[in-house]
Amino acid sequence: MDEEASTRESGGIDRETLVRFADIATDALAAAREEIDHLNVYPVPDGDTGTNMYLTLSAGRDAIRDLTEAPLPTVVAAFARGALLGARGNSGVILSEMIGAFVRRLATSDPTERNATVMVEAFATAVQASYAAVGEPVEGTMLTVLRAASEGAARAAQDPALRTRDVITAAAAAARDALARTPEQLDVLARAGVIDAGGRGVCVILDAAETALTGRRPIEVTKPLRKVSSPAGSGSATAGSAHLDAVAGDLSADGPSYEVMFLLDAADDAIAGLRAGLADIGDSVVVVGGDEIWNVHVHTDDVGAAIEAGIAVGRPHRIRVTHFAEQLAETVAVEPTPAPVRKVVAVAAGDGLAALFDEAGAVVVRGGPGHRASTGELLEAVTACGAHEVVLLPNDENTVRAAQAAAATAEADHRDVRVAVIPTHAQVQGLAAMAVHEPARTFDQDVTEMTATARHVRHGAVTVAVRQAITTAGPCEPGDILGVVAGDFAVVGQDLRPVAEDVLNRLLAAGGELVTIVSGEDPGDAELAQALAGWVEEQHPGLDAVVYDGGQERYPLLLSVE
């Protein structure tokens, strides 16, 4: 049967082809995920880009496995939602945005449209959605690779003799070329001698798409496209394969004072102008959604201008304003009466940490390096807790974006639920936020107090290097002890305790009243934590030190100063 006739149902992709692609792509990522995880400049095994992308796509595949007789729009919707709910880490959430935008364009194509043209538009839509999902896009990343694929598809489609399979083949080839050039665009990749991890994952998926349409395997998916030299890093723990974590968006001490969020009923073609307008008055702009319902987020000093920007293009509702200063001038939102039930959902990285959050009244979701909490797991916790007001504590930089996606989905699915994500990047920040949680306050006041407390926690950690790297503190070798300060590898040493003392001295440089020490899963970690608490009391008599058994993997000590 002619390809154009057999696949006329949707831009060259029918239900069987989509299912075949999902199977091939998931298997390809399963084979390549270890390689992708190791395209990482971290000296500790926190680089799980490949694993996160695999789990995200696998969730999409599982969502359509039993839809053997369903029409294509149903399969597409299930695939996109499954990927979103299964998304883990920033790379997984961005991948789910790519997939959702791409397949939705295919599903809405008209039978009279040329299949190759629809495919090109699907790529363009995916690029737009992916860049929009990242507040401050960085080139040399998976975004760049996808954009190159889109441009390659557009060039191929100019030839009227080329069909869908030719467009996909051209896109996959352009993506591989762009991936090889990522070290030229991101300096940390060049110094490390590696290609971008997220970009590699995109290439694996596009190669799988080519295989699904043509039967050919363009490359061996388990082989790196570029030889990886001895790993080296940069002066930042958020570089290399973790660069998308760095652009996920955070609240800086000298940044805007307000977070403004609202749902917006507006025409789809008005959103580009809205994003541009919000970018002029603030940062951390995220506008996601579709079908004329949008979730809008911006950090700004001009609350009125942000809301007016929404009014100019549609109808904003469910408006939430959070003031990130320690003192709240006034409560912006009016709480319903009687006050609804409120819950906190917290991600915990160890048994002891889970027990601490549970004792404080939080609903606990297990997560952490190597097994991040997914969007779906967080969404399930939010909806299952039965509360109309929910505070989400991701407690991990790589889980913040998944938490935001879960919050947006919960509010879209359940209009009577309000969800606030406090972007805690460390377990100790979550513990501090829980300590000031007060359900008797209004929702906005409670979120403001928890956010301010978490932001003012200076946090660090001690871990062990598993590979060579260049850190801010200099080169490290496997087995070296690494001291982490605010996410950056700031100390390299040979013994745990001296490194821990150095980290604490750095955290205490700006003063403090309370030191929190959380021990890891190894038996010796608890003894080390107690010894460090004694050192704090001896060296800093005016400070209080508390020790908790966290049970977390990979980090013998988590540290904070308040």
Side-chain angles (χ1 to χ4, degrees), residues 73-124:
T74 300
V75 176
V76 165
F79 186 48
R81 184 174 177 85
L84 174 63
L85 297 185
R88 286 169 165 81
N90 290 314
S91 57
V93 175
I94 293 171
L95 175 61
S96 74
E97 289 282 343
M98 290 181 181
I99 290 172
F102 192 94
V103 297
R104 280 192 289 268
R105 174 61 186 97
L106 296 183
T108 57
S109 65
D110 187 283
T112 63
E113 295 180 280
R114 181 188 173 209
N115 289 341
T117 301
V118 173
M119 188 66 65
V120 169
E121 292 178 359
F123 271 112

Side-chain angles (χ1 to χ4, degrees), residues 173-184:
R176 292 193 294 272
D177 289 343
L179 177 64
R181 294 194 301 272
T182 54
E184 301 169 12

Side-chain angles (χ1 to χ4, degrees), residues 257-335:
S257 299
Y258 296 91
E259 178 186 54
V260 181
M261 299 181 69
F262 52 85
L263 296 180
L264 178 69
D265 298 331
D268 294 359
D269 58 7
I271 299 307
L274 173 65
R275 287 194 181 101
L278 293 175
D280 288 339
I281 62 169
D283 57 27
S284 296
V285 176
V286 177
V287 183
V288 296
D291 296 328
E292 300 189 350
I293 177 68
W294 302 87
N295 195 299
V296 180
H297 171 280
V298 63
H299 294 170
T300 182
D301 287 321
D302 194 339
V303 175
I307 297 173
E308 288 170 2
I311 294 173
V313 299
R315 184 181 72 87
H317 52 103
R318 302 286 298 280
I319 298 170
R320 289 187 287 137
V321 180
T322 303
H323 186 202
F324 292 123
E326 287 187 303
Q327 294 181 345
L328 184 64
E330 61 179 312
T331 300
V332 178
V334 178
E335 297 296 318

Side-chain angles (χ1 to χ4, degrees), residues 433-481:
M434 280 301 302
V436 299
H437 169 53
E438 178 50 69
R441 288 192 290 248
T442 66
F443 186 61
D444 290 324
Q445 287 175 326
D446 199 24
V447 171
T448 296
E449 186 65 27
M450 294 175 72
T451 301
T453 300
R455 290 181 65 207
H456 286 85
V457 170
R458 299 189 294 279
H459 59 92
V462 177
T463 187
V464 181
V466 297
R467 58 173 64 95
Q468 284 184 326
I470 300 297
T471 73
T472 302
C476 69
E477 298 290 335
D480 283 348
I481 308 302

